[in-house]
Every structure is written in structure tokens, then in C-alpha cells.
């Protein structure tokens, strides 16, 4: 339980670093936007429930693709192709910025330890 608390403490510091960066705020908004677009599209065109559409959108952008849900219409398949090409780039930028914040956090932590 202590390790879990320490992990969340570190994560909290990393998130504070992330949200100081304007680029990260823009990427987070882009992720939210693309997930919303995907959810609405799959709900309206493919007839999925909102939860299924959100689930499918996340699984598609994460490139997991369990195969339990898939687009059935030609329009849905075309949208999915474009959705993946755009979305994976946005998710990659999100992961890269998170990694950058993680490195910054560990550098700052190391500097604080050296000063003490």
C-alpha cells in the first residue's frame, strides 16, 4: 500500500509538470476532441451505444483492437482509417510529452537529493 501511495505521489508531481506546459494542454484537448468525434461518429453511423463507441474509439487509438467491436459500414471503415492515422499521432505526442515530464521530474528529484 505504501508503494501505491508513493507511485501516486510521483504521478501527481509529473501531472503538475505536464499541466504547466501549454503544448501538453493543447494535446490533451486534442485527445479529448478526437475521442469525442469518434464516439459521436460511431454512435450515429455504426449504431453503437455511447459507451461502446467510446470504448471502440479508445481501443482504436491505442491500437489494441480486441476485435469484439468493428465498423460494419463502408463509411465507418473509411472513417476508421483516417481516425487511426490522425489519432495515433496525437496519442504518440501525448506519450512523448508524458515521457519528457517524467525525465524532468527525475532530474529535479536528483538535483534536490544532491543539494541535501
Amino acid at each position: 500500500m505504501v508503494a501505491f501511495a508513493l507511485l501516486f505521489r510521483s504521478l501527481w508531481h509529473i501531472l503538475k509538470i505536464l499541466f504547466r506546459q501549454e503544448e501538453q494542454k493543447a494535446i490533451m484537448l486534442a485527445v479529448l476532441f478526437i475521442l469525442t468525434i469518434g464516439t459521436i461518429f460511431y454512435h450515429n453511423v455504426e449504431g453503437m451505444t455511447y459507451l461502446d463507441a467510446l470504448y471502440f474509439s479508445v481501443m482504436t487509438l491505442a491500437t489494441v483492437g480486441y476485435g469484439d467491436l468493428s465498423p460494419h459500414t463502408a463509411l465507418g471503415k473509411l472513417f476508421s482509417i483516417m481516425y487511426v492515422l490522425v489519432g495515433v499521432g496525437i496519442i504518440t505526442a501525448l506519450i512523448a510529452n508524458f515521457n519528457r515530464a517524467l525525465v524532468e521530474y527525475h532530474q529535479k528529484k536528483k538535483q534536490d537529493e544532491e543539494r541535501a
Side-chain angles (χ1 to χ4, degrees):
M1 188 69 179
V2 173
F4 194 64
L6 291 173
L7 176 68
F8 270 110
R9 182 175 172 260
S10 296
L11 184 60
W12 174 253
H13 290 294
I14 292 166
L15 289 173
K16 285 185 350 186
I17 292 169
L18 282 173
F19 284 105
R20 279 185 285 163
Q21 302 169 356
E22 290 301 317
E23 178 184 344
Q24 183 63 24
K25 290 177 188 176
I27 291 172
M28 294 290 274
L29 282 173
V31 169
L32 183 63
F33 178 74
I34 198 161
L35 285 174
T36 302
I37 294 298
T39 301
I40 291 169
F41 178 86
Y42 291 122
H43 172 75
N44 290 330
V45 174
E46 294 294 325
M48 296 178 183
T49 65
Y50 281 112
L51 181 58
D52 283 345
L54 176 62
Y55 167 80
F56 183 68
S57 296
V58 170
M59 292 302 113
T60 300
L61 293 183
T63 67
V64 173
Y66 288 128
D68 52 347
L69 297 173
S70 62
H72 299 291
T73 65
L75 182 59
K77 291 173 184 177
L78 289 172
F79 176 80
S80 294
I81 291 168
M82 296 307 297
Y83 189 67
V84 167
L85 293 175
V86 171
V88 168
I90 293 171
I91 296 298
T92 301
L94 179 74
I95 293 168
N97 276 358
F98 186 84
N99 186 47
R100 191 179 320 143
L102 188 61
V103 168
E104 183 179 329
Y105 168 72
H106 284 293
Q107 286 174 344
K108 184 175 185 268
K109 189 175 175 183
K110 185 177 178 181
Q111 288 173 352
D112 290 345
E113 289 172 358
E114 289 174 354
R115 288 183 195 151

